[in-house]
Amino acid sequence: MSPQVRAALEAGRPVVALETSIVGQGLPAPHNLLAARGCEAAIREEGGIPATVAVLDGRVRVGLSDDDLERIASGAIKVSSRDLGPALARGSNGATTVAATVRAAAMAGVRFMATGGIGGVHRGHPEDQSADLEEIARSPVAVFCAGAKIVLDLALTLERLESLSVPVLGYGCDEFPAFYTRRSGCPVSARVDGPAEAAGVLRAVWETGGRGAVVAVPPPSDLEGADQMARQAADELGDVRGGSVTPRLLARMAELSGGRSLDLNVELVVNNARVAAQVARTFFG
Ligand code: PSU
Ligand code: MN
């Protein structure tokens, strides 16, 4: 843990964890570092402390310097929760997914985390389910996101979260956002309006034995034609499977949208970090 994160946790200040797979794999330069630095700045503006997570030189790190961030941007393997052991033992540099990040956050005692979109059940390949879902169910961390990427099967993803007993809280919305669009047609399990209600609901979730929760924040704007582009990107994937599916789909969405998906991706992840910090501040206030 960085000294700042440790001191903030000891003082009961609002700490918000951030993932780095978005830096290492999800977004190309310069959007990746813009997103990471934008999230950290938004959390600080709201009076919070950012705790960006990665594996560096085989150590799980909670709270990165800007040099550390640049090392992740310049080349790191994708580390989901099951990859933590091998990455540590081999001394790797790793960019952590939501799954690995919530695990690290839980180990450090951080309760709030922000990302762009969580992983989920892939369209047409329901056997490809992100470890994000199980790991959120296990870790007492609230994950702020703009839903799950539109390239996923949202209805099946929500079914899995229901089976795993993970509350899906719509932040000022009744529908689960679809990352590039505000509406998906799929209902959330409960709606929360504003930081006070969100903080109160999370407190009650944790007091009644709940562990992880998803807080779904609608993206600031909609990407025109996102649904069509997502279908095309998924259709074109062919035999690609496993961990490279998500980065490939995101890259194809960027091409098909002429780069607009990248700008929206940066905007929405920074927005999620800001909302997470506002809720964390209310929670600890
Ligand atoms: N969604 C994005 N960008 C990303 C990811 C999701 O818009 O970079 C990353 C997150 O780190 C998420 C991971 O945890 O992809 C899910 O990958 P997989 O499906 O392999 O579990
Ligand atoms: Mn996957």
Side-chain angles (χ1 to χ4, degrees):
M1 249 187 280
S2 71
Q4 295 94 315
V5 169
R6 185 181 299 280
L9 285 171
E10 277 166 9
R13 294 188 59 200
V15 177
V16 178
L18 296 166
E19 58 135 321
T20 43
S21 181
I22 191 171
V23 178
Q25 291 85 31
L27 284 171
H31 296 83
N32 58 351
L33 283 174
L34 281 175
R37 291 176 179 141
C39 286
E40 294 202 343
I43 291 165
R44 288 204 177 91
E45 275 165 31
E46 299 298 334
I49 310 296
T52 305
V53 172
V55 175
L56 280 168
D57 305 314
R59 297 176 67 207
V60 180
R61 298 271 307 273
V62 179
L64 301 186
S65 68
D66 204 64
D67 286 348
D68 295 333
L69 268 182
E70 285 184 6
R71 288 181 70 196
I72 295 298
S74 68
I77 56 170
K78 177 173 168 178
V79 172
S80 191
S81 42
R82 72 170 182 177
D83 309 313
L84 281 168
L88 264 59
R90 289 184 193 139
S92 308
N93 289 338
T96 52
T97 66
V98 171
T101 304
V102 293
R103 175 107 53 105
M107 287 167 68
V110 176
R111 292 253 167 185
F112 295 85
M113 187 241 160
T115 179
I118 57 169
V121 183
H122 284 274
R123 266 188 202 173
H125 292 282
E127 74 284 4
D128 183 348
Q129 305 199 354
S130 176
D132 291 359
L133 304 181
E134 295 268 354
E135 215 60 61
I136 291 170
R138 265 197 280 259
S139 311
V141 177
V143 178
F144 289 71
C145 62
K149 285 174 308 289
I150 196 169
V151 293
L152 298 171
D153 188 321
L154 295 188
L156 280 184
T157 299
L158 289 167
E159 288 290 352
R160 256 328 263 147
L161 287 168
E162 181 182 356
S163 304
L164 290 165
S165 203
V166 173
V168 178
L169 309 176
Y171 195 81
C173 60
D174 299 301
E175 282 179 31
F176 194 54
F179 194 75
Y180 297 120
T181 58
R182 282 174 282 205
R183 305 196 50 180
S184 66
C186 301
V188 294
S189 69
R191 174 180 173 133
V192 292
D193 286 287
E197 195 181 7
V201 167
L202 288 170
R203 189 178 296 286
V205 165
W206 289 323
E207 280 171 357
T208 52
R211 297 189 72 79
V214 171
V215 184
V217 183
S221 61
D222 276 1
L223 177 67
E224 287 296 319
D227 199 58
Q228 165 66 29
M229 288 187 262
R231 276 172 205 287
Q232 185 179 335
D235 287 346
E236 288 173 358
L237 259 191
D239 289 337
V240 179
R241 294 280 180 279
S244 59
V245 168
T246 297
R248 291 280 287 267
L249 287 173
L250 292 171
R252 188 67 183 121
M253 285 294 289
E255 284 171 11
L256 291 170
S257 67
R260 279 175 302 132
S261 69
L262 300 177
D263 296 328
L264 178 56
N265 202 327
V266 175
E267 270 176 59
L268 68 84
V269 67
V270 172
N271 184 54
N272 296 341
R274 184 179 301 282
V275 172
Q278 289 167 347
V279 174
R281 189 179 68 201
T282 308
F283 185 89
F284 290 107

